[in-house]
Amino acid sequence: EGKMTISEQIRILCIRSNISVAELARRVGQSPQNFNSKLKREKFSISDLEELADAVGVSFVRFFQMANGDKV
């Protein structure tokens, strides 16, 4: 089972939030063209992802999960 790329996750976020990728780009102050090229390159920092989450009113959760279940 393959792992989803961050770009795939962003596209699904848009679908589930009932907005276009272009609308998400506008909400974070980027042109749709620039945003699409970031999607193609998979170039998103943690702060980018937090900003995208804020733009659609969701949470971006990140952590490492240890073998014993602890989250870091």
Side-chain angles (χ1 to χ4, degrees), residues 25-57:
R26 282 190 285 274
R27 289 186 186 189
V28 295
Q30 293 185 36
S31 72
Q33 293 87 344
N34 284 352
F35 194 75
N36 274 316
S37 84
K38 278 183 93 159
L39 284 173
K40 285 189 185 78
R41 295 192 320 269
E42 297 277 323
K43 288 288 180 192
F44 293 93
S45 67
I46 297 298
S47 61
D48 289 336
L49 299 173
E50 289 169 341
E51 186 179 10
L52 295 176
D54 284 347
V56 294

Side-chain angles (χ1 to χ4, degrees), residues 1 4 6-7 11 13-14 19 25 37 40 47 50 60 64 71-72:
E1 197 172 298
M4 206 182 303
I6 195 63
S7 293
R11 291 178 199 284
L13 173 66
C14 288
I19 62 169
S37 84
K40 285 189 185 78
S47 61
E50 289 169 341
F60 177 72
F64 295 104
K71 293 173 184 171
V72 176

